[in-house]
Amino acid sequence: LTQILHGTVRKGVYLLGSDGFFHEITSREIVKGLHPGSLGDKEAMHKEARRLIQLAKMRREPDNITAVLVKAE
């Protein structure tokens, strides 16, 4: 499912991900892991993205997994 959103960008962390990313990870897990207060810098964002991707792989996601995090300040 492709979504195109437009409008004013609010402060926060945005996730762009392939369907393989979303099959095995719940919305609750994503929101908890990507809370803006816990992602203070680029390294923290990268670490959390890797953790979520590994979680999907551990749950045997067969599709490709792609994720991009964008922090708007």
Side-chain angles (χ1 to χ4, degrees), residues 20 23-24 56-57 59-65:
H23 287 155
E24 298 297 330
K57 288 180 178 181
R59 293 178 179 171
R60 303 193 187 279
E61 171 57 53
D63 203 348
N64 65 331
I65 303 168

Side-chain angles (χ1 to χ4, degrees), residues 48-68:
E48 185 57 26
R50 283 193 322 253
R51 188 189 73 78
L52 290 169
I53 289 169
Q54 284 304 113
L55 182 61
K57 288 180 178 181
M58 287 184 346
R59 293 178 179 171
R60 303 193 187 279
E61 171 57 53
D63 203 348
N64 65 331
I65 303 168
T66 304
V68 176

Side-chain angles (χ1 to χ4, degrees), residues 12-62:
V13 176
Y14 294 86
L15 168 66
L16 308 173
S18 64
D19 57 344
F21 186 87
F22 296 102
H23 287 155
E24 298 297 330
I25 301 174
T26 67
S27 296
R28 180 173 282 187
E29 289 171 318
I30 292 169
V31 168
K32 182 179 177 183
L34 300 182
H35 186 273
S38 66
L39 300 175
D41 59 16
K42 185 170 76 172
E43 287 183 34
M45 291 173 66
H46 190 219
K47 182 178 177 182
E48 185 57 26
R50 283 193 322 253
R51 188 189 73 78
L52 290 169
I53 289 169
Q54 284 304 113
L55 182 61
K57 288 180 178 181
M58 287 184 346
R59 293 178 179 171
R60 303 193 187 279
E61 171 57 53

